[in-house]
């Protein structure tokens, strides 16, 4: 029986590694073979240049940003993000505290603290962005790691941020400011994904200031790949094979990203900033599903679908800032964003004898828009830094589709024809107050009023008008010059996914593992109260730190996908199921090992443990769906002075998931997902003052994720079992970076 686990490395990765290894060794051999040079008589002797570890320096800068923040946050800088040569930002974010993704081969939708992705807010340069899909969040694999200056994981909310993000907010700060581009940079990379094909990218950035005018140019061309292939085998109550499916799902992504910035600093009229952007992702997917007979060997039929999906996001942000007197500043901003997704699917389904059973062509079109005007006034009064702001977020989401089957036009899918208009008005006030030398308080209040109108396929319109008051309070107490104690209390909210508001049914496999999905226009936003408490200790001139944080969340009107069985098919629908709770502990640290004799060596790591309870339909309680107990990272960096190279090792571990969900028919759905571990290696060398070389090998363990779904009756007896296996894939990558 063939499965997708039968994979091996091709020859492409060997060529890539050999070429870049030769470049690295040649550059360093040249530098070392020259030896010390004696100064000739009368020559000017220059000062000695101290070679430093750029990754260590980057970590030190990130620790200082963390220490200076008025609320609890983690910061990771560009050098750390790029250490293991991940192309897409999502893969690099795995090493941040508490970050997981929904699937072993996925790195799109960030999940903080083990909670579902809808509780994590993603901002780009402090503002929300649309990305051409129905989710409110931004899929982070659309941002190249090479265009990011730093990432801030904001644990404790503030009034100045959007009211979502109960688990936390990921703020991605891009390299499109002149101050962050001290010189021009060009990076070229190439690699190979096991059992797939080549990878590659070109990234550039340039900043220039001419008098009052600032121009920053940054962009990238990128090709990366994913494989989400998996095999599922079904069994009846007695363990007898009952069919299955082999799914080949290989994806290629070609991306274009442009993020320039133009700024004009005037003497009397203030500062003007204009940030246009263009993001384009073209995804080509081979999706081949082989349905098996009961014996799980004989082919029943094969569906071969070729899919092309193009996502585009474009728009601009315009900002005007002007000082008012000596202690106040006014800022007026305007965001205009457009997004769209066009998906073409060409499917041919074959019978077991190879004859064509069905030919089908489908198109899906999504159009989105976001208009966001905002005005804010900042006033410094003594020890107070006070901010007031008002604004709006005006969203529109339209979906439609078409289908041609065996040459005949078919009616469109009802679940993919709808319109959502949502207007959110907001206002906030916040006071950052330095009470004394040791105590700082940041208090704020945010008001958000949302008016959401959904029109489905049949023209039925559902409206909701909801207002939330979102208070927040953060305190920082300097217990010692190097120790901060932090406390934060805040209320946040979670609005339903836009597509989930359409009441039509999206047919999937109709199985417990992949049920059909039906939307619910009557969902109400969740209200979440949160508490964060922590301690940060900094040492070794901020090269090292240790943090310990506790968090708790109380959810009202929790939205969950409730799975029910109708006519032999399983259907999941989002519902406000009641109250829920989540609490946990986070630890993070970075420790230079000089004191114990390991010079130029740094040990770093983090771990997050989360426990959750949600009131289940039909009584009782259970965990949040697909929530692991813990996620942890452990790594070591070693700087080898003769090569001016940093060697890195990173281990990422996510614990298993075991959960039981009560079904509406009185039965149960028991699900388990195996724990998984990733091992990554890297080396980065400063070959010359202007040239860097980096090599990496990621996911070296290449584990296979095992998942078991069991359907039980009301007495707990097994009715059916589905076993799913999804392999993961190793990757190698090499990058050359020039500064000029």
């Amino acid at each position: 029986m063939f499965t997708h686990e039968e994979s091996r490395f091709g020859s492409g990765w060997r060529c890539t590694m050999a070429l870049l290894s030769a470049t690295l060794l040649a550059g360093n051999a040249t530098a070392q073979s020259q030896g010390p040079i004696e100064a000739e008589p009368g020559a000017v002797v220059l000062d000695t240049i101290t070679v430093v570890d750029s990754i260590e320096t980057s970590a030190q800068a990130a620790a200082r940003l963390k220490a200076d923040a008025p609320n609890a946050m983690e910061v990771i800088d560009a050098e750390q993000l790029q250490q293991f040569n991940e192309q897409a930002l999502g893969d690099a974010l795995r090493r941040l505290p508490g970050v997981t993704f929904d699937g072993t081969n996925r790195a799109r939708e960030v999940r903080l603290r083990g909670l579902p992705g809808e509780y994590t807010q993603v901002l780009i340069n402090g503002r929300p962005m649309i990305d051409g899909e129905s989710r409110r969040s931004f899929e982070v694999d659309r941002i190249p790691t090479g265009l990011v200056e730093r990432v801030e994981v904001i644990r404790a909310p503030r009034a100045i941020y959007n009211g979502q993000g109960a688990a936390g907010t990921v703020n991605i700060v891009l390299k499109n400011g002149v101050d962050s581009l001290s010189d021009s940079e060009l990076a070229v990379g190439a690699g190979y994904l096991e059992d797939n094909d080549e990878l590659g990218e070109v990234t550039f950035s340039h900043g220039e200031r001419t008098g009052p005018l600032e121009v920053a140019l940054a962009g990238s061309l990128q090709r990366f790949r994913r494989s989400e292939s998996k095999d599922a085998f079904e069994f009846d109550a007695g363990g007898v094979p009952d069919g299955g499916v082999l799914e080949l799902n290989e994806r290629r992504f070609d991306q274009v990203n442009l993020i320039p910035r133009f700024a004009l600093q005037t003497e009397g009229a203030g500062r003007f900033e204009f940030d246009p952007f263009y993001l384009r992702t073209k995804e080509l997917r081979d999706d081949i599903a082989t349905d098996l007979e009961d014996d799980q060997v004989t082919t029943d039929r094969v569906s071969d679908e070729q899919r092309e999906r193009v996502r585009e996001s474009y728009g601009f942000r315009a900002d005007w800032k002007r000082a008012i007197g000596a202690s106040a500043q006014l800022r007026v901003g305007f965001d205009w964003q457009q997004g769209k997704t066009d998906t073409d699917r060409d499917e041919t389904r074959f019978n077991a004898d190879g004859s064509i059973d069905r030919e089908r062509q489908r198109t899906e079109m999504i159009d989105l828009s976001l208009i966001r005007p905002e005005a804010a006034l900042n006033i410094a009064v003594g020890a107070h830094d006070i901010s007031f702001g008002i604004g709006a977020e005006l969203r529109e989401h339209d979906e439609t589709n078409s289908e041609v089957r065996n040459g005949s036009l078919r009616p469109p899918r009802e679940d993919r024809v709808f319109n959502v208009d949502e207007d959110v008005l907001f206002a906030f006030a916040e006071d950052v107050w330095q009470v004394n030398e040791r105590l700082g308080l940041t208090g704020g209040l945010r008001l958000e009023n949302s008016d959401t109108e959904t029109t489905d396929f049949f023209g039925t319109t559902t409206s909701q008008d909801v207002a939330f008051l979102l208070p927040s309070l953060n305190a920082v107490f300097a217990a010692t010059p190097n120790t901060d104690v932090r406390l934060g209390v805040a209320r946040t909210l979670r609005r339903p996914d836009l597509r989930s508001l359409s009441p039509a049914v999206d047919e999937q496999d109709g199985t417990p593992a992949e049920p059909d999905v039906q939307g619910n226009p009557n969902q109400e936003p969740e209200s979440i109260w949160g508490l964060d408490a922590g301690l940060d200790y900094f040492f070794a001139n901020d090269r090292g730190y240790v943090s310990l944080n506790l968090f708790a969340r109380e959810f009202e009107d929790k939205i969950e996908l409730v799975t029910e069985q109708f006519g032999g098919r399983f259907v999941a629908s989002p519902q406000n199921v009641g109250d829920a709770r989540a609490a946990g502990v986070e630890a993070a640290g970075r420790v230079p090992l000089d004191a114990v004799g390991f010079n130029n060596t740094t040990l770093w790591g983090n771990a997050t443990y989360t426990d959750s309870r949600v009131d289940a339909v039909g009584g009782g309680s259970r965990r949040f769906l697909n929530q692991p107990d813990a996620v942890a990272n452990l790594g070591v960096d070693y700087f080898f002075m003769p090569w001016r190279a940093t060697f890195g090792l990173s281990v990422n571990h996510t614990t298993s998931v075991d959960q039981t969900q009560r079904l509406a028919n009185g039965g149960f759905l028991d699900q388990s997902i195996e724990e998984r571990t990733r091992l990554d290696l890297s080396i980065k060398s400063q070959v010359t003052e202007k040239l860097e070389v980096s090599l990496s090998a990621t996911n070296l363990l290449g584990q296979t994720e095992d998942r078991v779904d069991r359907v039980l009756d009301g007495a707990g007896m097994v009715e059916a079992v589905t076993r799913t296996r999804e392999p993961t894939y190793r990757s190698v990558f090499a990058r050359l970076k020039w500064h000029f």
Side-chain angles (χ1 to χ4, degrees), residues 293-405:
E293 297 280 6
D294 289 349
D295 61 8
Q296 297 181 346
V297 175
T298 307
T299 297
D300 178 26
R301 65 185 182 189
V302 177
S303 172
D304 186 345
E305 180 179 273
Q306 305 299 307
R307 185 182 308 186
E308 178 180 297
R309 182 172 70 154
V310 177
R311 283 188 289 170
E312 289 184 293
S313 301
Y314 54 90
F316 66 86
R317 178 188 67 89
D319 255 13
W320 172 61
K321 303 175 185 177
R322 181 176 180 179
I324 302 175
S327 59
Q329 184 183 65
L330 176 66
R331 181 179 68 84
V332 178
F334 183 80
D335 245 346
W336 178 81
Q337 301 181 31
Q338 296 287 310
K340 66 177 182 178
T341 297
D342 293 332
T343 304
D344 294 317
R345 305 185 185 196
D346 190 350
E347 177 202 21
T348 303
R349 192 168 70 187
F350 300 91
N351 295 313
D353 61 3
S355 61
I356 295 178
D357 174 61
R358 182 180 73 187
E359 292 182 319
R360 183 168 61 167
Q361 295 80 39
R362 291 179 288 171
T363 62
E364 297 173 0
M365 291 152 285
I366 304 174
D367 289 290
L368 305 96
S369 66
L370 172 64
I371 296 176
R372 191 175 188 272
E374 182 181 10
L377 177 65
N378 181 265
I379 305 172
V381 182
H384 298 266
D385 192 352
I386 304 172
S387 298
F388 302 95
I390 58 172
E393 287 186 11
L394 312 176
R395 293 176 181 263
E396 185 171 359
H397 181 112
D398 286 292
E399 289 199 30
T400 189
N401 67 92
S402 65
E403 178 181 343
V404 175
R405 185 180 299 183

Side-chain angles (χ1 to χ4, degrees), residues 418-437:
F418 66 92
N419 169 267
V420 178
D421 284 315
E422 183 177 74
D423 297 340
V424 178
L425 305 179
F426 64 86
F428 65 85
E430 184 180 80
D431 181 10
V432 181
W433 178 24
Q434 190 63 43
V435 181
N436 54 45
E437 292 183 355

Side-chain angles (χ1 to χ4, degrees), residues 717-737:
M717 301 298 293
V718 175
E719 294 184 337
V721 177
T722 302
R723 299 183 181 275
T724 304
R725 298 177 64 82
E726 182 174 347
T728 63
Y729 302 88
R730 302 169 182 88
S731 177
V732 293
F733 202 83
R735 181 180 282 119
L736 295 173
K737 185 186 295 185

